[in-house]
């Protein structure tokens, strides 16, 4: 536990509060503040390894959502395990969870709730989780509505808007317009569904920044500053190394999008 406030207020009380009695009162007050701050940090900091089972179960559910699990989707899960450095028991845990998620009766809601609790108040940790799930969603190309429905349910639980999800998809090279209908994650029909499409020209820079093409230069700069502050790896603290690398890649995409827009518009 960090005792910064305890020490500072004890010292303040010693100097300005008539010696030892002031130091005691200040120290007690500081200890209460330090305890409250420590409790907030515990609630805000994801538990190490607490994401493995729900995340890989969700990957299995996404893979099975269209009725079959492809080799491409299995390969995504394998790559994620390798990037995360999962070996021995953690790897077995991930495989078991992935296989459980593939079962027809698997309910994604508890897994999503576990991920929501793991992310906690650290909304910036939601984006790396979504990154991993998006990889499975697009593993076979343009995804069916069942896979997108699970992804949108997860995004909603993690307090990530459709606009932000569109930006994440754009960073993966997919154009997606989240218009019409509700999140409707139990919907099985294809009525009105237009899947994300592979963008052969690369990520659209305006979608990556979450802005319309007709906004002024000030709005572009404002959107860029907001995004890069949210996605910069230095803000992610104790995030697992593999997810930190994804954050670095995402920050690079944001920077690249901003540079493209600057070049097009001719501002610095």
């Amino acid at each position: 536990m960090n005792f910064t406030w305890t020490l500072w207020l004890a010292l303040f009380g010693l100097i300005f509060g008539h010696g030892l009695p002031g130091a005691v009162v200040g120290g007690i007050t500081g200890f209460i503040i330090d305890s409250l701050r420590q409790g907030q940090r515990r609630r805000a900091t994801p538990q190490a390894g607490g994401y493995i089972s729900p995340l890989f179960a969700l990957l299995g559910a996404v893979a099975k959502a269209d009725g079959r699990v492809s080799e491409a989707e299995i390969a995504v899960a394998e790559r994620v395990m390798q990037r995360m450095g999962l070996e021995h028991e953690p790897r077995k845990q991930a495989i078991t969870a992935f296989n459980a998620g593939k079962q027809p009766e698997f309910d994604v809601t508890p897994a999503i709730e576990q991920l929501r609790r793991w992310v906690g108040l650290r909304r910036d940790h939601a984006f790396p989780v979504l990154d991993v799930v998006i990889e499975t969603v697009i593993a076979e190309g343009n995804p069916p509505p069942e896979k997108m429905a699970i992804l949108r349910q997860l995004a909603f639980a993690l307090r990530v808007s459709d606009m932000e999800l569109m930006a994440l998809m754009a960073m993966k090279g997919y154009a997606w317009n989240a218009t019409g209908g509700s999140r409707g994650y139990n919907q099985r029909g294809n009525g009105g569904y237009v899947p994300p499409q592979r963008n052969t020209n690369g990520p659209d820079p305006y979608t990556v920044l979450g802005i319309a093409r007709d906004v002024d230069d000030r709005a572009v700069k404002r959107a860029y500053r907001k995004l890069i502050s949210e996605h910069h790896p230095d803000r992610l603290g104790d995030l697992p190394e593999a997810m930190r690398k994804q954050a670095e890649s995402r920050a690079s995409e944001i920077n690249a999008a901003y540079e493209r827009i600057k070049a097009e518009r001719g501002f610095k």
Side-chain angles (χ1 to χ4, degrees):
M1 179 174 171
N2 190 310
F3 294 99
T4 301
W5 281 95
T6 304
L7 296 174
W8 275 110
L9 290 184
L11 180 61
F12 183 87
L14 180 66
I15 297 173
F16 299 102
H18 307 293
L20 184 60
V24 171
V25 172
I28 292 173
T29 304
F31 181 78
I32 293 172
I33 295 173
D34 283 328
S35 297
L36 290 173
R37 287 168 60 87
Q38 180 71 12
Q40 289 176 337
R41 279 194 292 270
R42 279 198 296 267
R43 290 191 295 273
T45 301
Q47 180 182 1
Y51 62 92
I52 294 176
S53 285
L55 177 59
F56 280 91
L58 204 60
L59 297 187
V62 169
K64 186 67 173 180
D66 60 352
R68 59 180 291 275
V69 179
S70 69
E71 292 183 4
E73 290 162 333
I74 294 173
V76 168
E78 288 284 350
R79 287 199 301 270
V80 173
M81 288 183 218
Q82 290 174 5
R83 287 204 307 263
M84 292 182 174
L86 301 185
E87 297 179 349
H88 309 302
E89 286 306 315
R91 181 179 175 84
K92 290 180 182 177
Q93 180 186 353
I95 293 172
T96 299
F98 185 85
N99 289 333
K102 294 190 303 183
Q103 301 309 308
E105 69 278 4
F106 184 79
D107 182 5
V108 300
T109 302
I112 288 175
E113 175 59 20
Q114 283 181 274
L115 287 172
R116 186 194 66 78
R117 289 200 304 267
W118 181 77
V119 168
L121 301 177
R122 296 297 302 272
R123 185 173 174 275
D124 53 335
H125 285 192
F127 297 109
V129 171
L130 285 165
D131 271 343
V132 172
V133 178
I134 289 172
E135 286 187 50
T136 303
V137 167
I138 62 176
E140 296 181 292
N142 301 340
E146 294 85 358
K147 294 183 180 182
M148 285 300 296
I150 296 174
L151 176 62
R152 295 179 81 182
Q153 182 183 356
L154 174 64
F156 181 76
L158 300 184
R159 298 181 294 133
V160 172
S161 69
D162 275 342
M163 183 65 72
E164 291 168 315
L165 191 55
M166 286 169 61
L168 291 175
M169 297 290 290
M171 292 178 202
K172 300 288 187 184
Y174 276 79
W176 175 56
N177 186 9
T179 58
S182 65
R183 292 183 177 270
Y185 46 80
N186 289 323
Q187 180 180 340
R188 291 292 177 181
N190 289 347
Y193 174 74
V194 178
Q197 302 288 325
R198 185 75 181 174
N199 192 338
T200 56
N201 296 322
D204 177 71
Y206 288 90
T207 305
V208 169
L209 296 191
I211 54 178
R213 288 185 171 272
D214 58 358
V215 300
D216 59 26
D217 293 349
R218 291 180 60 187
V220 173
K221 295 175 182 178
R222 190 162 54 245
Y224 167 73
R225 286 194 294 266
K226 179 178 181 294
L227 270 181
I228 203 65
S229 68
E230 289 179 344
H231 292 272
H232 200 283
D234 290 347
R235 289 177 51 89
L236 300 180
D238 53 0
L239 195 71
E241 184 60 27
M243 291 187 175
R244 175 180 290 279
K245 290 180 180 178
Q246 287 182 289
E248 292 172 354
S249 175
R250 193 163 51 252
S252 296
E253 289 285 358
I254 294 168
N255 283 323
Y258 184 56
E259 291 300 323
R260 282 183 61 188
I261 294 175
K262 284 201 303 181
E264 288 175 7
R265 295 187 173 215
F267 69 81
K268 295 182 179 180

